Amino acid sequence: MKVILLGPQGSGKSTQAKMLADHFNVPYIEMGQLLRDKQNDNDEDAKVIKKAMETGSLVSDNKITIRTLNQRLSTPDCTNGFVLDGYPRNDEQIKSLPEGIDRAIYINIPDEEAVRRLSQRGRADDRPEIIQKRLDVYHQETEPLLSHFRDMGILVEIDGKPSVEEVSSQVIKTIDGTSKN
Ligand code: AMP
């Protein structure tokens, strides 16, 4: 089972992605975390990643992101599938989409709710001005990618406002195939 989780920061998509991965016993792959880990390498790629993290922009060189993801996906635990969170985020990345994606689950919430939730989280890039920047980047570069998954016939949209448990039961249902909308 290969699933992609899409949605703005603060939509709860990472929480949902983790629960889904646990439920189906496949690895949870978080693009942002893979890149955060790469920052410790202290090489040229690490510098590019650090700059993006500090400004709330996407990592400017897609090759770094794609290479980092492909390394992770080539490990044996991904053979039976995965839940991918935070990729793709722009046009170039969608061209390097892993093959055989079964579902793209889009968890949506309004910006005000996203800002409220992220402000309470307190990660290094969760400062107010950076939060807004990341949401702007999301609307400009990532949201337009939804139509690609809609055209593929694998997009499912879920309202992210209800409780974690309610959203989770919706998410799992879409994969079980009992509710495809
Ligand atoms: P996230 O935890 O998903 O909000 O990602 C944190 C940061 O990691 C983002 O603000 C970007 O700088 C970087 N990042 C995560 N995923 C990607 C991606 N697919 N392409 C480029 N940069 C990314």
Side-chain angles (χ1 to χ4, degrees), residues 112-152:
E112 310 83 75
E113 178 68 7
V115 171
R116 198 184 63 75
R117 291 182 183 183
L118 292 176
S119 309
Q120 291 169 353
R121 192 171 67 171
R123 205 174 71 192
D125 56 352
D126 286 338
R127 299 194 304 280
E129 67 282 12
I130 304 293
I131 291 174
Q132 193 52 57
K133 172 73 198 294
R134 282 157 57 216
L135 286 170
D136 292 346
V137 170
Y138 171 77
H139 290 303
Q140 279 159 22
E141 298 196 44
T142 305
E143 211 165 46
L145 305 181
L146 292 173
S147 60
H148 177 88
F149 295 104
R150 201 171 283 125
D151 292 348
M152 286 172 76

Coordinates of all heavy atoms in Angstrom, one line a residue, residues 112-152:
E112 N -6.5 29.9 9.3 CA -6.5 30.4 10.7 C -6.3 29.3 11.7 O -5.6 29.4 12.7 CB -7.9 31.1 11.1 CG -8.4 32.1 10.1 CD -9.1 31.4 8.9 OE1 -10.3 30.9 9.1 OE2 -8.5 31.4 7.8
E113 N -6.9 28.2 11.4 CA -6.8 27.0 12.3 C -5.4 26.5 12.2 O -4.8 26.1 13.2 CB -7.8 25.9 11.8 CG -7.8 24.6 12.6 CD -8.2 24.8 14.1 OE1 -8.7 25.8 14.5 OE2 -8.1 23.8 14.8
A114 N -4.8 26.5 11.0 CA -3.4 26.0 10.9 C -2.4 26.9 11.7 O -1.6 26.3 12.4 CB -3.0 26.1 9.4
V115 N -2.6 28.2 11.6 CA -1.7 29.1 12.4 C -1.9 28.8 13.9 O -1.0 28.8 14.7 CB -2.1 30.6 12.0 CG1 -1.3 31.5 13.0 CG2 -1.7 30.9 10.6
R116 N -3.2 28.7 14.3 CA -3.5 28.5 15.7 C -2.8 27.2 16.2 O -2.1 27.2 17.3 CB -5.0 28.3 15.9 CG -5.5 28.5 17.4 CD -6.9 28.3 17.5 NE -7.4 26.9 17.2 CZ -7.2 25.9 18.0 NH1 -6.6 26.0 19.1 NH2 -7.6 24.7 17.6
R117 N -2.9 26.1 15.5 CA -2.3 24.8 15.9 C -0.8 24.9 15.9 O -0.1 24.4 16.8 CB -2.7 23.7 14.9 CG -4.2 23.4 15.1 CD -4.5 22.2 14.1 NE -5.9 21.9 14.1 CZ -6.4 20.9 13.4 NH1 -5.6 20.1 12.7 NH2 -7.7 20.6 13.5
L118 N -0.2 25.5 14.8 CA 1.3 25.5 14.7 C 1.9 26.4 15.8 O 3.0 26.1 16.3 CB 1.7 25.9 13.3 CG 1.4 25.0 12.2 CD1 1.8 25.6 10.9 CD2 2.1 23.6 12.4
S119 N 1.2 27.4 16.2 CA 1.7 28.4 17.2 C 1.9 27.6 18.5 O 2.7 28.0 19.3 CB 0.8 29.6 17.4 OG 0.5 30.1 16.1
Q120 N 1.1 26.6 18.7 CA 1.1 25.9 20.0 C 2.2 24.8 20.0 O 2.5 24.2 21.0 CB -0.2 25.2 20.3 CG -1.3 26.3 20.6 CD -2.7 25.7 20.6 OE1 -2.9 24.5 20.3 NE2 -3.7 26.5 21.0
R121 N 2.7 24.5 18.8 CA 3.6 23.3 18.7 C 5.0 23.6 19.1 O 5.7 22.8 19.8 CB 3.6 22.8 17.2 CG 4.2 21.5 17.0 CD 4.0 20.9 15.6 NE 4.6 21.7 14.6 CZ 4.7 21.3 13.3 NH1 4.1 20.2 12.9 NH2 5.3 22.1 12.5
G122 N 5.6 24.8 18.7 CA 6.9 25.2 19.2 C 8.1 24.6 18.5 O 9.2 24.6 19.2
R123 N 8.0 24.1 17.3 CA 9.2 23.6 16.6 C 10.0 24.8 16.2 O 9.5 25.9 16.1 CB 8.8 22.8 15.4 CG 9.9 21.8 15.0 CD 9.4 20.9 13.9 NE 9.2 21.6 12.6 CZ 8.6 21.1 11.6 NH1 8.0 19.9 11.7 NH2 8.5 21.8 10.5
A124 N 11.3 24.7 15.8 CA 12.2 25.9 15.5 C 11.6 26.7 14.4 O 11.7 27.9 14.4 CB 13.6 25.4 15.2
D125 N 11.0 26.1 13.4 CA 10.4 26.9 12.3 C 8.9 27.2 12.5 O 8.2 27.5 11.5 CB 10.7 26.2 10.9 CG 10.2 24.8 10.8 OD1 9.7 24.2 11.9 OD2 10.2 24.2 9.7
D126 N 8.5 27.1 13.7 CA 7.1 27.4 14.0 C 6.9 28.8 14.6 O 5.9 29.1 15.3 CB 6.4 26.4 15.0 CG 6.2 25.1 14.3 OD1 6.0 25.0 13.0 OD2 6.1 24.0 15.0
R127 N 7.8 29.7 14.2 CA 7.7 31.2 14.6 C 6.6 31.8 13.7 O 6.5 31.4 12.5 CB 9.0 31.9 14.5 CG 10.1 31.3 15.3 CD 11.3 32.3 15.4 NE 11.8 32.7 14.1 CZ 12.7 31.9 13.4 NH1 13.0 30.8 13.9 NH2 13.1 32.4 12.2
P128 N 5.8 32.8 14.2 CA 4.7 33.3 13.5 C 5.0 33.7 12.0 O 4.3 33.3 11.1 CB 4.3 34.5 14.3 CG 4.7 34.2 15.7 CD 5.9 33.4 15.6
E129 N 6.1 34.4 11.8 CA 6.4 34.9 10.4 C 6.7 33.7 9.5 O 6.4 33.7 8.3 CB 7.4 36.0 10.4 CG 8.8 35.7 10.8 CD 9.1 35.5 12.3 OE1 8.1 35.5 13.1 OE2 10.3 35.4 12.7
I130 N 7.4 32.7 10.1 CA 7.8 31.6 9.3 C 6.6 30.7 9.0 O 6.4 30.1 7.9 CB 8.9 30.7 10.0 CG1 10.1 31.6 10.3 CG2 9.4 29.6 9.1 CD1 10.9 32.2 9.1
I131 N 5.7 30.6 10.0 CA 4.5 29.8 9.8 C 3.7 30.3 8.6 O 3.3 29.6 7.7 CB 3.5 29.8 11.0 CG1 4.2 29.1 12.2 CG2 2.2 29.3 10.7 CD1 3.4 29.1 13.5
Q132 N 3.5 31.7 8.6 CA 2.7 32.3 7.5 C 3.4 32.1 6.1 O 2.8 31.8 5.1 CB 2.5 33.8 7.7 CG 1.5 34.4 6.8 CD 0.1 33.7 6.8 OE1 -0.5 33.5 7.9 NE2 -0.3 33.2 5.7
K133 N 4.8 32.2 6.2 CA 5.5 32.0 4.9 C 5.3 30.6 4.4 O 5.1 30.3 3.2 CB 7.0 32.3 5.2 CG 8.0 31.9 4.1 CD 7.9 32.9 2.9 CE 8.5 32.4 1.6 NZ 9.9 32.2 1.6
R134 N 5.4 29.6 5.3 CA 5.2 28.2 4.9 C 3.8 27.9 4.3 O 3.7 27.2 3.4 CB 5.5 27.2 6.0 CG 7.0 27.1 6.2 CD 7.4 26.6 7.6 NE 6.8 25.4 8.0 CZ 6.4 25.1 9.3 NH1 6.6 26.0 10.2 NH2 5.9 24.0 9.6
L135 N 2.8 28.6 4.9 CA 1.5 28.4 4.4 C 1.3 29.1 3.0 O 0.7 28.5 2.1 CB 0.4 29.0 5.4 CG 0.2 28.2 6.6 CD1 -0.7 29.0 7.6 CD2 -0.5 26.9 6.3
D136 N 2.0 30.2 2.8 CA 2.0 30.9 1.5 C 2.6 30.0 0.5 O 2.1 29.9 -0.6 CB 2.7 32.3 1.6 CG 2.0 33.3 2.4 OD1 0.8 33.1 2.8 OD2 2.6 34.3 2.8
V137 N 3.8 29.4 0.8 CA 4.4 28.5 -0.1 C 3.5 27.4 -0.4 O 3.4 26.9 -1.6 CB 5.8 28.0 0.5 CG1 6.4 26.9 -0.4 CG2 6.8 29.2 0.6
Y138 N 2.9 26.9 0.6 CA 1.9 25.7 0.4 C 0.9 26.1 -0.7 O 0.6 25.3 -1.6 CB 1.3 25.3 1.7 CG 0.2 24.3 1.5 CD1 0.5 23.0 1.2 CD2 -1.1 24.7 1.4 CE1 -0.5 22.0 1.0 CE2 -2.1 23.8 1.2 CZ -1.8 22.4 0.9 OH -2.8 21.5 0.6
H139 N 0.2 27.2 -0.5 CA -0.9 27.6 -1.4 C -0.4 27.9 -2.8 O -1.0 27.5 -3.8 CB -1.6 28.9 -0.9 CG -2.4 28.6 0.4 ND1 -3.4 27.6 0.4 CD2 -2.3 29.2 1.6 CE1 -3.9 27.6 1.7 NE2 -3.3 28.5 2.4
Q140 N 0.8 28.5 -2.9 CA 1.4 28.8 -4.2 C 1.9 27.6 -5.0 O 1.6 27.4 -6.1 CB 2.5 29.8 -4.1 CG 2.0 31.2 -3.9 CD 3.1 32.1 -3.3 OE1 4.3 31.8 -3.4 NE2 2.7 33.2 -2.7
E141 N 2.6 26.7 -4.2 CA 3.4 25.7 -5.0 C 2.8 24.3 -4.8 O 2.9 23.5 -5.7 CB 4.8 25.6 -4.5 CG 5.5 26.9 -4.8 CD 7.0 26.8 -4.7 OE1 7.6 25.8 -5.2 OE2 7.7 27.7 -4.1
T142 N 2.2 24.0 -3.7 CA 1.8 22.6 -3.4 C 0.3 22.4 -3.7 O -0.1 21.4 -4.3 CB 2.1 22.2 -2.0 OG1 3.5 22.4 -1.8 CG2 1.8 20.8 -1.7
E143 N -0.5 23.3 -3.3 CA -2.0 23.1 -3.5 C -2.3 22.8 -5.0 O -3.2 22.0 -5.3 CB -2.7 24.4 -3.0 CG -4.1 24.1 -2.5 CD -4.7 25.2 -1.7 OE1 -4.5 26.4 -2.1 OE2 -5.2 25.0 -0.6
P144 N -1.7 23.6 -5.9 CA -2.0 23.3 -7.3 C -1.8 21.8 -7.8 O -2.3 21.4 -8.8 CB -1.1 24.3 -8.1 CG -0.8 25.3 -7.1 CD -0.7 24.7 -5.8
L145 N -0.9 21.1 -7.0 CA -0.6 19.7 -7.4 C -1.8 18.8 -7.2 O -1.9 17.7 -7.7 CB 0.6 19.2 -6.6 CG 1.9 20.0 -6.6 CD1 2.9 19.3 -5.8 CD2 2.4 20.2 -8.0
L146 N -2.8 19.2 -6.4 CA -3.9 18.4 -6.1 C -4.6 17.9 -7.4 O -5.1 16.8 -7.5 CB -5.0 19.1 -5.2 CG -4.5 19.4 -3.8 CD1 -5.5 20.3 -3.1 CD2 -4.3 18.1 -3.0
S147 N -4.7 18.8 -8.4 CA -5.4 18.5 -9.6 C -4.7 17.3 -10.3 O -5.4 16.5 -11.0 CB -5.5 19.7 -10.5 OG -4.2 20.1 -10.8
H148 N -3.4 17.2 -10.1 CA -2.7 16.0 -10.7 C -3.3 14.7 -10.2 O -3.5 13.8 -10.9 CB -1.2 16.2 -10.4 CG -0.4 15.0 -10.9 ND1 0.1 15.0 -12.2 CD2 0.0 13.9 -10.3 CE1 0.8 13.9 -12.4 NE2 0.7 13.2 -11.2
F149 N -3.4 14.7 -8.8 CA -3.9 13.4 -8.2 C -5.4 13.2 -8.5 O -5.8 12.1 -8.6 CB -3.6 13.5 -6.7 CG -2.2 13.5 -6.4 CD1 -1.5 14.7 -6.0 CD2 -1.4 12.3 -6.5 CE1 -0.2 14.7 -5.7 CE2 0.0 12.3 -6.3 CZ 0.6 13.5 -5.8
R150 N -6.1 14.3 -8.6 CA -7.5 14.2 -9.0 C -7.6 13.6 -10.4 O -8.4 12.7 -10.6 CB -8.2 15.6 -9.0 CG -9.7 15.6 -8.9 CD -10.2 17.0 -8.7 NE -10.0 17.5 -7.3 CZ -9.4 18.7 -7.0 NH1 -8.9 19.4 -7.9 NH2 -9.3 19.0 -5.7
D151 N -6.8 14.1 -11.3 CA -6.8 13.5 -12.7 C -6.4 12.0 -12.7 O -6.9 11.3 -13.5 CB -5.8 14.3 -13.6 CG -6.3 15.7 -13.8 OD1 -7.5 16.0 -13.5 OD2 -5.5 16.5 -14.3
M152 N -5.5 11.6 -11.8 CA -5.1 10.2 -11.7 C -6.2 9.4 -11.1 O -6.2 8.1 -11.1 CB -3.9 10.1 -10.8 CG -2.6 10.5 -11.4 SD -1.2 10.5 -10.1 CE -0.9 8.7 -10.0

